[in-house]
Amino acid sequence: MEVLYSSRRVLLEDNDGTFRLTDAGILVSQETGKILRVLETQEEINSLLMSSRGLNVVDYGNLMILPGLIDSHVHINEPGRTDWEGFETATKAALAGGFTTIVDMPLNSIPPTTTLGNLKTKIEVARQKIYTNCGFWGGVIPGNDKNLQEMIRHGVVGFKCFMCPSGVDEFPHVTLPDLELAMEKLKGYETVLAFHAEVDNSCCGGSNSADPDPKKYETYLKSRPDQMEIEAIQTVCDLSKKHDVNCHIVHLSTALALPTIRQAKLDGIKLTVETCHHYLALNSETVPDASTEFKCAPPIRTKDNQTQLWQALRDKTLDMVVSDHSPSTPGMKLLIYGNKNRGNFLDAWGGISSVQFGLSLFWTNCQMYNFDITDAVRLLCKAPAKLCGFDKTKSRIAVGFDADFCIFDENQTFQVSQEIIQFKNKATPYMGMQLRGVVHATILGGIVAFDKGIVQGGPKGKILLRNGREERMKKRAIPV
């Protein structure tokens, strides 16, 4: 079956990378999930309607039609910790936010995605539950270097490692010798090694006793100083240069590392860097006491630091914005009344839930920094697609690409409330916040999967492998 989706404002991209909002119709095949034609004149549309009588037409009027968004950093935690999150709830939440593709992180599930067998287990669990498309990161831990190449051949988008303790025993952090081994295995492959780039705080002057009150955010902030990230990022740059491997820094929080990143890129080092919505929307000065829903690692830093991150997005020092959706139960966040440890920032689980609200969080602050909708698509769609190897089929409204769309009203506002949250545990620092930009509908593979606040039908998502079919994985060095 074919459907024509139309709007007076469809975001198209020309071959030279120039974006334009234009009156257009998008003819899609619901059978293949692909875009068949993009019609940019009323004459073309009229001709199609005359030749295809009975064609289903969905007109979104003045609402924007954007490419479906991509969040390359989501902790789904299934199997093993489904009381924290799961494939069904995480993908429903993403769908409600205009995200048609998310990529699952390799830790917090049991087993972690550190072997081919564990990857296959994860995929089988996900297959019948996902409401968006879903790709998978593999993990690098001490001793699993012999597993990496077969996971590449089976389609992981890349690998993630921790340079400091991860917080879960089954995903230990790596040392420099572990990284040297891993990079030797990855060299020459079309893949990427992503780093939680913080070194142990004992070498950086951090101290849990910097402030006597663990319920004050400043206490936690001082326990993870900027230097933890700065030293780790320098190590990553040195390793990437030595081994010629694509490297990626996840959830950058400190602006003090920006000079190192800029120099690395000038030197031709294969480095990409993401930051997160919480670092762009929140600042340490306004975190309330005992509000551990704000805790994450690295920590939310100052307002001045935040402004510098926005500037780094503008000058393309930073490449993309993701959620790092990392939920847990209210008990682990120490948010339950009656718990004598309630509100202790040092002991609470670190992680912020936000996969549903990424576009709106970003858009709410865009005008303050002179960003427009093309910047949002560049940072929340195109760059994550390229990082994960999905850019040949996703991130663009063009013939042959997947018919994944976000239908967006950039002027409408809404308030974050428990009633609208789709992810499992509702603890989020954005509760009660007034946000600008509403996702009216999300179209997945040419089919309306979310409309006016309601998920439509059952799971429609597909398992995604890097650069398409598994048998097409090639050993060749292509920069991300």
Side-chain angles (χ1 to χ4, degrees):
M1 180 178 177
E2 296 178 358
V3 179
L4 182 70
Y5 293 103
S6 64
S7 166
R8 295 180 185 87
R9 296 191 300 161
V10 178
L11 188 67
L12 300 180
E13 182 183 1
D14 294 329
N15 290 332
D16 63 359
T18 303
F19 287 101
R20 53 197 170 86
L21 277 170
T22 186
D23 193 338
I26 312 164
L27 183 66
V28 307
S29 166
Q30 293 184 324
E31 182 178 359
T32 65
K34 298 288 186 180
I35 298 172
L36 300 175
R37 291 178 65 186
V38 178
L39 304 97
E40 295 192 54
T41 67
Q42 193 59 51
E43 289 75 16
E44 286 181 288
I45 293 174
N46 290 341
S47 176
L48 174 67
L49 295 177
M50 287 293 292
S51 63
S52 306
R53 295 189 181 278
L55 176 68
N56 186 20
V57 179
V58 181
D59 183 9
Y60 285 108
N62 284 317
L63 297 177
M64 290 183 183
I65 301 183
L66 310 175
L69 305 177
I70 297 171
D71 192 336
S72 55
H73 191 148
V74 180
H75 294 267
I76 296 177
N77 306 342
E78 187 176 5
R81 290 190 173 98
T82 51
D83 55 335
W84 297 18
E85 189 62 279
F87 284 105
E88 180 179 349
T89 49
T91 55
K92 280 183 175 180
L95 198 67
F99 289 84
T100 53
T101 297
I102 62 175
V103 189
D104 175 59
M105 278 293 167
L107 73 158
N108 298 345
S109 59
I110 303 174
T113 316
T114 51
T115 68
L116 178 58
N118 292 355
L119 171 64
K120 289 180 176 179
T121 296
K122 177 78 71 99
I123 289 174
E124 285 308 307
V125 171
R127 197 179 298 280
Q128 304 303 321
K129 297 182 177 183
I130 50 176
Y131 285 76
T132 62
N133 302 312
C134 187
F136 299 91
W137 288 93
V140 170
I141 61 173
N144 83 325
D145 52 288
K146 294 180 177 60
N147 297 280
L148 304 182
Q149 291 175 356
E150 61 182 1
M151 283 196 281
I152 294 173
R153 289 190 286 269
H154 282 77
V156 293
V157 303
F159 298 89
K160 182 185 181 181
C161 66
F162 273 72
M163 301 176 76
C164 62
S166 71
V168 292
D169 293 340
E170 64 275 4
F171 202 95
H173 68 289
V174 290
T175 62
L176 192 57
D178 298 321
L179 289 171
E180 297 277 5
L181 281 172
M183 287 199 163
E184 284 300 320
K185 297 292 186 181
L186 300 181
K187 188 172 182 177
Y189 280 89
E190 186 179 357
T191 192
V192 60
L193 181 55
F195 293 79
H196 181 122
E198 288 181 293
V199 296
D200 191 299
N201 67 1
S202 62
C203 66
C204 300
S207 171
N208 284 351
S209 60
D211 188 300
D213 188 353
K215 295 189 177 183
K216 289 189 176 296
Y217 185 73
E218 188 69 15
T219 303
Y220 175 63
L221 182 59
K222 289 178 179 178
S223 77
R224 296 185 92 103
D226 303 72
Q227 194 64 26
M228 291 177 65
E229 288 186 83
I230 294 169
E231 291 197 13
I233 289 169
Q234 185 61 63
T235 298
V236 172
C237 292
D238 293 343
L239 285 166
S240 180
K241 182 177 182 179
K242 176 181 178 181
H243 293 277
D244 195 33
V245 169
N246 298 311
C247 291
H248 180 70
I249 304 297
V250 299
H251 50 51
L252 179 84
S253 80
T254 178
L256 294 181
L258 294 173
T260 300
I261 295 166
R262 288 190 178 104
Q263 188 60 52
K265 291 189 171 187
L266 285 172
D267 292 342
I269 291 173
K270 296 175 179 178
L271 182 70
T272 52
V273 187
E274 70 187 35
T275 192
C276 300
H277 300 295
H278 38 278
Y279 303 129
L280 299 172
L282 306 171
N283 61 77
S284 60
E285 292 93 333
T286 57
V287 176
D289 291 351
S291 297
T292 48
E293 62 268 36
F294 287 80
K295 180 181 177 179
C296 59
I300 296 161
R301 303 192 189 275
T302 65
K303 178 65 176 175
D304 177 67
N305 182 89
Q306 179 187 90
T307 299
Q308 292 181 64
L309 294 181
W310 277 97
Q311 291 168 345
L313 290 171
R314 167 60 64 202
D315 67 25
K316 300 185 180 179
T317 302
L318 301 182
D319 299 278
M320 65 198 73
V321 183
V322 299
S323 69
D324 186 13
H325 178 72
S326 185
S328 64
T329 63
M332 292 195 68
K333 291 294 284 183
L334 300 182
L335 289 167
I336 296 176
Y337 287 98
N339 185 331
K340 63 180 180 181
N341 209 22
R342 184 182 186 276
N344 184 319
F345 279 105
L346 299 181
D347 292 345
W349 179 263
I352 287 180
S353 297
S354 64
V355 66
Q356 182 173 340
F357 302 114
L359 175 58
S360 300
L361 284 165
F362 187 76
W363 186 248
T364 298
N365 294 288
C366 271
Q367 283 66 47
M368 188 187 310
Y369 296 95
N370 198 31
F371 281 58
D372 61 24
I373 197 63
T374 66
D375 294 304
V377 170
R378 171 174 62 89
L379 294 163
L380 276 68
C381 181
K382 286 186 65 64
K386 186 176 182 182
L387 175 74
C388 298
F390 301 152
D391 52 317
K392 300 295 188 295
T393 57
K394 298 188 180 298
S395 76
R396 188 175 177 188
I397 298 175
V399 173
F401 278 67
D402 292 342
D404 297 343
F405 312 130
C406 167
I407 313 303
F408 187 58
D409 183 340
E410 79 276 25
N411 295 316
Q412 190 176 349
T413 62
F414 70 99
Q415 186 176 51
V416 178
S417 65
Q418 285 204 0
E419 291 72 27
I420 67 171
I421 290 176
Q422 299 275 353
F423 46 81
K424 181 169 288 186
N425 290 293
K426 314 302 182 187
T428 175
Y430 307 113
M431 191 68 72
M433 188 178 288
Q434 194 80 11
L435 299 181
R436 184 166 177 248
V438 171
V439 174
H440 276 251
T442 305
I443 296 164
L444 186 69
I447 299 171
V448 177
F450 175 83
D451 186 59
K452 299 182 181 66
I454 299 172
V455 174
Q456 305 292 310
K460 300 178 180 67
K462 296 180 180 179
I463 301 294
L464 299 183
L465 305 176
R466 186 178 180 94
N467 286 333
R469 299 171 63 85
E470 181 179 309
E471 59 267 25
R472 290 170 58 194
M473 306 302 294
K474 301 293 184 183
K475 185 176 181 179
R476 53 197 174 99
I478 298 177
V480 172

